[in-house]
């Protein structure tokens, strides 16, 4: 059970366990969103799991329950230009570090989904496939995923030709077809789309930034 995994770390010096995860490392467009959650382990929410294994409807319902029950949670949104400038891994680390810094409660221990090299004054344990093992990481993954999906739904109304409401910026066949047809928009990641548009389009795109 996810809760039992986290409970193994509880002791007198580890009362507040933070779980950190992200959503949006792979898309061609939009930001990467990171979240940290510190959840009560004696009042678990039924149905919490790796956000990728849940339907959008289930994620939305769990999101509301998670943020209402969380002892503490924080979210960081790192935009496309930062991703292009420092690369997606460093942008993810930046977002995770911001979550740690801005958390209303400082965790005594942090469990993170498979990312090394974060900055904190407490112990950090990277866990492979952590969102499928740790309750706190799974809760953070749901917060991050729902936050990003809702943001991409809003951006879809600004850039309706790309279908962001359907694919949320990921490189689906339809998204790539629309990218080639209409060219890139402001929220596309230059370093991610360079193989899908010609050099002239890329040069014109980069002139705007």
């Amino acid at each position: 059970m996810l809760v039992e995994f986290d409970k193994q770390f509880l002791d007198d010096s580890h009362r507040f366990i933070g779980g950190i995860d992200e959503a949006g490392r792979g898309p061609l467009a939009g930001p990467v969103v990171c979240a940290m959650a510190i959840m009560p382990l004696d009042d678990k929410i039924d149905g919490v799991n790796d956000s990728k294994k849940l339907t959008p409807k289930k994620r939305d319902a769990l999101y509301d329950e998670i943020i209402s029950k969380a002892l503490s949670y924080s979210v960081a949104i790192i935009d496309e230009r930062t991703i292009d400038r420092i690369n997606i891994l460093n942008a993810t680390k930046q977002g995770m570090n911001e979550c740690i810094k801005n958390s209303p409660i400082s965790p005594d221990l942090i469990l993170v989904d498979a990312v090394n090299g974060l900055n904190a004054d407490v112990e950090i344990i990277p866990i492979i496939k952590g969102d499928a093992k740790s309750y706190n990481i799974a809760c953070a993954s749901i917060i991050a995923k729902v936050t990003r999906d809702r943001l991409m739904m809003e951006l879809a109304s600004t850039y309706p030709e790309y279908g962001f409401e359907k694919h949320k910026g990921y490189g689906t066949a339809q998204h790539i077809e629309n990218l080639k047809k209409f060219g890139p928009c402001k929220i596309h990641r230059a370093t991610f789309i360079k193989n899908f548009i010609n050099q002239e389009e890329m040069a014109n795109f980069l002139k705007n930034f």
Side-chain angles (χ1 to χ4, degrees), residues 21-177:
D21 202 3
E22 53 72 30
R25 284 180 71 170
L28 306 181
V32 61
V33 176
C34 301
M36 182 168 78
I38 302 175
M39 304 298 297
L41 300 181
D42 57 354
D43 186 19
K44 78 179 184 71
I45 301 169
D46 290 335
V48 166
N49 203 338
D50 172 3
S51 64
K52 296 184 291 295
K53 298 179 180 179
L54 302 170
T55 64
K57 183 177 180 180
K58 183 64 173 176
R59 282 196 299 264
D60 282 339
L62 287 170
Y63 172 90
D64 292 335
E65 194 169 359
I66 288 167
I67 63 172
S68 69
K69 285 191 174 182
L71 300 174
S72 173
Y73 74 95
S74 53
V75 175
I77 299 172
I78 307 301
D79 66 24
E80 312 77 30
R81 301 290 77 80
T82 302
I83 292 169
D84 285 336
R85 189 175 71 252
I86 66 176
N87 78 45
I88 186 59
L89 177 57
N90 286 325
T92 300
K93 290 181 180 180
Q94 178 177 315
M96 291 180 170
N97 286 329
E98 288 183 13
C99 287
I100 297 169
K101 179 181 178 181
N102 296 328
S103 177
I105 294 176
S106 296
D108 303 310
L109 175 70
I110 296 171
L111 308 177
V112 60
D113 187 27
V115 174
N116 292 289
L118 300 185
N119 297 323
D121 295 328
V122 299
E123 183 180 5
I124 301 175
I125 303 177
I127 299 171
I128 302 298
K129 297 184 179 179
D131 48 6
K133 297 176 182 177
S134 161
Y135 180 72
N136 279 290
I137 294 178
C139 287
S141 78
I142 292 169
I143 294 173
K145 176 64 174 169
V146 172
T147 299
R148 189 180 188 280
D149 281 358
R150 290 178 178 178
L151 177 60
M152 294 305 295
M153 292 287 285
E154 292 175 8
L155 289 167
S157 62
T158 304
Y159 307 102
E161 62 269 36
Y162 299 98
F164 291 133
E165 72 281 0
K166 298 177 182 178
H167 50 69
K168 310 302 187 295
Y170 284 86
T172 63
Q174 187 63 52
H175 185 190
I176 293 171
E177 181 181 333

